Amino acid sequence: MIDRIERRFTLAAGAMCLGGIVLFVCLAAGALLVFDEPGTANDGAYFDAYVWRVARFTLLQASLSTLLSILFAIPVARALARQLSFPGRVWVIRLMALPLGLPALVAALGLIGIWGRQGMLNSGLAWLGLAQPVSIYGLSGILIAHVFFNMPLAARLMLVGLERIPGEYWLVGANLGMPPLSIFRFIEWPAIRGLLPGIAGLIFMLCATSFTLVLTLGGGPAASTIEVAIYQALRFDFDPPRAIALSMLQISMTAVLLIAIRMLTPTADEGHGGGRMVRRFDGRRGFGKIGDGLVIALAVVFLVLPLASVVSSGLRSDLVQLVTDPLVRRAFLTSLVIAVVSGFFCVVATAVMIRARQTALASRHPAGLLRGFAAGISASTSLILLVPPVVLGAGWFLLLRPFGDVALFAPLLVILINMLMAMPFVYRILESAMATHAARTGRLAASLGLGGWNRLRVIDWPGLRKPFLMALSFACALSLGDLGAVALFGSQDMVTLPWLLYSRMGSYRSTDAAGLALLLGLICLMLTIAGTPASEKDDKRRRDAA
């Protein structure tokens, strides 16, 4: 009886979370579809030359960013996979995770410090007598920034695939005396090739929906993506029809991309082996070891220099004055409250839906309705990829405008949008952990008659504490450094650290901006490091095996 009541309660709670997410997204999309205000239309010419120019640039920069990120990630992943014994390998892999938790504004400021007109690179070129500086603004700056963020992501995903290659493959390759080119062609490339559609699709999606980096480094209307154009249409021009046209185009593009990713991603092929410990024999001496070391060193320099620039510029600012500034304190407190609240509700809602999905599929032959409910939960966690934050904000901006000052609703909207923004990542962190935990403890809990709060306290929380804290730290870091949701609703009454940093950059108060970037980056990086602990024991075991 208790089990039946708990099952119904779990399904009902999951249905409420699912319904709330779908309703929030559909209301925003519906507001964009039905909006019609006399005098704002431009003779029905919604999709004019400007809209198509923005769409072409969005696709161009996303395609080039994806191509460059993958081309640079392949040698980095191969070098890390081959060199298992060098000191500090675990820290290099940790460094590859840092851009994921670094606020885009902080990274942009660091990249300007290296690649900007007065940056380290252009100063070196000027010293060599070269008159043409490298421009960080426009298409080139956007590509550099996207490679900075996405190359480490692609390298980590490829590294996981290379490490899954059975140990027998390397033993056969060594016995046959295969040269490096043949090893790449017959052993490494098949593993990488199977991952490429998913990796390329993910990076393309992230670059196509990029907002903060393009807003900061775009340099003008000629280098605007669809999301930046939506923001400009509402924030500066107040042209709702243009914002609607751009939003519909954005939703259509992301829908096509998501379908293409799903169709092109192949079924994972782990290879067949006898479970032999992986021990590679290539890249141990000579030019192979030197080449791998050079590739790893270049990747580290490319990632570390912008971070070092942020730290150096931030330390030169008056940090004491910034910390004691009432506006900075209020912005920090606002950002912290938004991050903690949105992160907490994101983790709770995601866990409830995962549990409801597991309950719906628990029976041997679940009904069609329950299977559809489980599929709906899986799809709902990726709705933010279909309807990006700026599009959601545009829809709710138009929906709430008739009720008065939209700024009054800003805190709640920012919390909800940030919650949805972190949900795809939180879902992937918790799903496998909760599935493994349920498989290990389900029968034990049933035999002890534990359910509800008692099971959560005695069995679930001790076993799931680490993945839950990891998901919470990552969700809080994403929310703390986000500018997309705040960009439309930021005002004097609601100032966050990213919004204050962007305002100081726009008013050419570069010293204050550098200090704020350092403070914001340190907070987000500490949260990210806390949420992505590296397995040093596994790394030591691999070195010993090598």
Side-chain angles (χ1 to χ4, degrees), residues 16-42:
M16 288 180 61
C17 292
L18 175 62
I21 293 172
V22 173
L23 182 64
F24 183 80
V25 174
C26 288
L27 284 177
L32 293 171
L33 288 172
V34 304
F35 180 83
D36 183 18
E37 183 172 329
T40 59
N42 189 18

Side-chain angles (χ1 to χ4, degrees), residues 482-506:
D482 177 64
L483 179 66
V486 181
L488 284 174
F489 305 109
S491 63
Q492 294 181 350
D493 298 325
M494 195 191 77
V495 179
T496 64
L497 274 181
W499 179 248
L500 184 61
L501 171 58
Y502 180 71
S503 301
R504 297 288 169 88
M505 291 175 63

Side-chain angles (χ1 to χ4, degrees), residues 340-408:
V340 172
V341 174
S342 64
F344 175 78
F345 281 109
C346 177
V347 172
V348 170
T350 305
V352 168
M353 290 194 295
I354 292 174
R355 179 62 180 159
R357 184 177 182 274
Q358 293 173 349
T359 302
L361 300 176
S363 60
R364 183 169 299 179
H365 300 290
L369 182 61
L370 291 177
R371 290 198 302 269
F373 174 66
I377 287 177
S378 299
S380 68
T381 57
S382 299
L383 273 178
I384 194 65
L385 299 177
L386 178 62
V387 188
V390 173
V391 178
L392 279 177
W396 278 99
F397 181 89
L398 298 176
L399 190 66
L400 295 175
R401 199 164 58 92
F403 298 96
D405 187 5
V406 179
L408 298 175

Side-chain angles (χ1 to χ4, degrees), residues 316-334:
R316 289 198 300 267
S317 65
D318 192 348
L319 293 176
V320 176
Q321 188 272 335
L322 283 176
V323 172
T324 56
D325 187 347
L327 182 59
V328 175
R329 286 184 174 183
R330 182 159 63 91
F332 171 74
L333 183 61
T334 302

